[in-house]
């Protein structure tokens, strides 16, 4: 099934069920008011949501309305945890090679992961707000999963059973702030502003054969100012799969229901697949020519991130954002049904 969160003026929005073709939706308020509530009691709530999903797809839902991604918040507008990995080691290797840094052998056997801000997650059509272009504004197209409760010590063999939903992410980076932060030895903070997520989160079965229980085997399309710049296959060259990332997260602590785990920038070894972040394009230019030629994003730039199934239907809906000057983002008016 497909789930989203409708903007209603509250902090956490209102859970809705969305049809498979993303054309219609229905309030889930009679079952669960918020997605977090559904995740907290998934075994009881999910079958009821699934029944509503079936009714909606069959055109029998009495109070269905047109689905509009622009009126959606992130599926989880605020989450207990947002942990982002770097599963595509090719991306890490390119970026490090471009700056002449050694590639530690452990990077191929032990996942990189950082803990992002989870208290203010953006909807798919919310603006990327940034005070200055000099910060080096970059998009990062990713796949992410949402888990139920994951006990400490869960192994990679066990972790797959804890994946409840999948979605796309734009983990925005401010590249020119990163070097100074990493030099402090404490990791990302100001260089990682709010992350945006696809309007819809889907259960694994919605992916069909494209989901093998570990990876999503579909291209992730990225358009920058209307031009397609990336079509990397999310299932290819993923060194650490989602169960491995979840096991890494839960090695020394519990991960509670509603934890979001990201794949990191989707990256393929074949440069013909394009790029999912500007930093990778600049790294390739640096390696080839000794200097990068592609600038980072400017105010007014747009980015669109989307994944389609084998029949050409959008799976998660699109992340479609515009970069705006650093000021308080205008809140969209809530739509009530």
């Amino acid at each position: 099934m497909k789930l989203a969160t409708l903007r209603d003026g509250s902090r956490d929005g209102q859970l809705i069920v969305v049809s498979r073709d993303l054309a219609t939706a229905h309030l889930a308020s009679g079952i669960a008011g918020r997605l977090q509530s559904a995740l907290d009691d998934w075994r009881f709530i999910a079958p009821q949501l699934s029944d509503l999903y079936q009714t909606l797809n069959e055109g029998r839902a009495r109070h269905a309305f047109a689905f509009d991604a622009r009126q959606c918040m992130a599926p989880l507008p605020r989450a207990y945890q947002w942990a982002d990995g770097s599963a595509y080691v090719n991306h890490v290797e390119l970026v490090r090679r471009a700056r002449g840094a050694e590639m530690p052998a452990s990077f191929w056997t032990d996942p990189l992961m950082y803990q992002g801000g989870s208290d203010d997650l953006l909807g798919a059509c919310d603006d990327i707000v940034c005070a200055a272009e000099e910060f080096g504004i970059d998009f990062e197209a990713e796949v992410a999963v949402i888990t139920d409760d994951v006990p400490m010590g869960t192994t990679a063999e066990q972790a797959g059973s804890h994946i409840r939903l999948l979605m796309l992410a734009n983990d925005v980076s401010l590249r020119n702030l990163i070097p100074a932060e990493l030099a402090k030895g404490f990791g990302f903070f100001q260089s990682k502003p709010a992350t945006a997520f696809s309007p819809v989160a889907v259960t694994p079965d919605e992916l069909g054969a494209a989901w093998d229980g570990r990876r999503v085997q579909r291209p992730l399309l990225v358009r920058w100012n209307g031009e397609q710049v990336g079509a990397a296959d999310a299932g290819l060259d993923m060194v650490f799969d989602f169960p491995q990332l979840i096991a890494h997260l839960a090695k020394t602590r519990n991960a509670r229901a509603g934890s979001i785990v990201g794949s990191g920038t989707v990256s393929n070894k074949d440069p013909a697949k394009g790029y999912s972040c500007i930093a990778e394009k600049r790294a390739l230019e640096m390696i080839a020519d000794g200097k990068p030629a592609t600038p980072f994003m400017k105010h007014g730039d747009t980015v669109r991130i989307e994944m389609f199934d084998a029949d050409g239907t959008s799976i998660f809906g699109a992340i479609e954002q515009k970069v705006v000057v650093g000021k308080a983002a205008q809140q969209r008016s809530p739509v009530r049904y």
Side-chain angles (χ1 to χ4, degrees), residues 181-210:
E181 285 203 314
L182 294 186
K184 294 179 180 179
F186 235 48
F188 304 121
F189 198 80
Q190 292 177 339
S191 54
K192 286 290 188 177
T195 302
F197 291 90
S198 54
V200 170
V202 310
T203 49
D205 60 290
E206 287 294 320
L207 292 161

Side-chain angles (χ1 to χ4, degrees), residues 159-313:
S161 66
H162 293 284
I163 296 172
R164 290 289 170 249
L165 297 164
L166 294 97
M167 52 188 178
L168 304 181
N170 180 18
D171 181 43
V172 177
S173 290
L174 303 179
R175 298 294 182 183
N176 294 337
L177 300 185
I178 288 177
E181 285 203 314
L182 294 186
K184 294 179 180 179
F186 235 48
F188 304 121
F189 198 80
Q190 292 177 339
S191 54
K192 286 290 188 177
T195 302
F197 291 90
S198 54
V200 170
V202 310
T203 49
D205 60 290
E206 287 294 320
L207 292 161
W211 173 249
D212 63 3
R214 312 184 77 84
R215 302 173 177 85
V216 178
Q217 309 281 349
R218 294 300 301 164
L220 184 57
L221 305 186
V222 181
R223 289 186 175 274
W224 179 15
N225 292 332
E227 178 185 354
Q228 183 169 306
V229 297
D233 190 318
L236 190 64
D237 303 319
M238 189 181 192
V239 175
F240 303 105
D241 58 36
F242 280 111
Q244 288 173 309
L245 293 175
I246 294 168
H248 181 82
L249 171 64
K251 183 175 181 178
T252 61
R253 53 178 165 170
N254 298 315
R256 293 306 184 186
S259 291
I260 304 173
V261 182
S263 67
T265 304
V266 176
S267 176
N268 291 164
K269 293 179 180 179
D270 180 3
K273 299 288 188 180
Y275 53 93
S276 299
C277 71
I278 302 169
E280 187 165 312
K281 173 65 171 174
R282 288 167 59 91
L284 288 167
E285 293 168 344
M286 188 72 182
I287 292 167
D289 306 319
K291 61 179 181 179
T294 303
F296 289 117
M297 299 183 83
K298 306 291 185 184
H299 290 137
D301 279 10
T302 60
V303 61
R304 182 183 178 96
I305 300 168
E306 195 165 13
M307 182 179 284
F308 296 88
D309 65 19
D311 295 325
T313 301

Side-chain angles (χ1 to χ4, degrees), residues 19-42:
S19 62
R20 183 169 287 113
D21 61 4
L22 305 181
T24 59
H26 197 288
L27 294 175
S29 50
I31 302 170
R34 307 286 181 263
L35 179 54
Q36 183 61 52
S37 299
L39 291 162
D40 286 340
D41 197 9
W42 186 257

Side-chain angles (χ1 to χ4, degrees), residues 41-59:
D41 197 9
W42 186 257
R43 294 186 186 279
F44 177 70
I45 297 295
Q48 299 176 64
L49 293 173
S50 183
D51 287 345
L52 177 55
Y53 181 61
Q54 182 176 346
T55 301
L56 184 62
N57 284 320
E58 292 173 352

Side-chain angles (χ1 to χ4, degrees), residues 89-103:
V89 183
N90 176 68
H91 168 74
V92 181
E93 186 178 38
L94 285 174
V95 172
R96 292 181 69 89
R97 195 194 319 168
R99 68 172 190 261
E102 290 284 334
M103 180 70 172

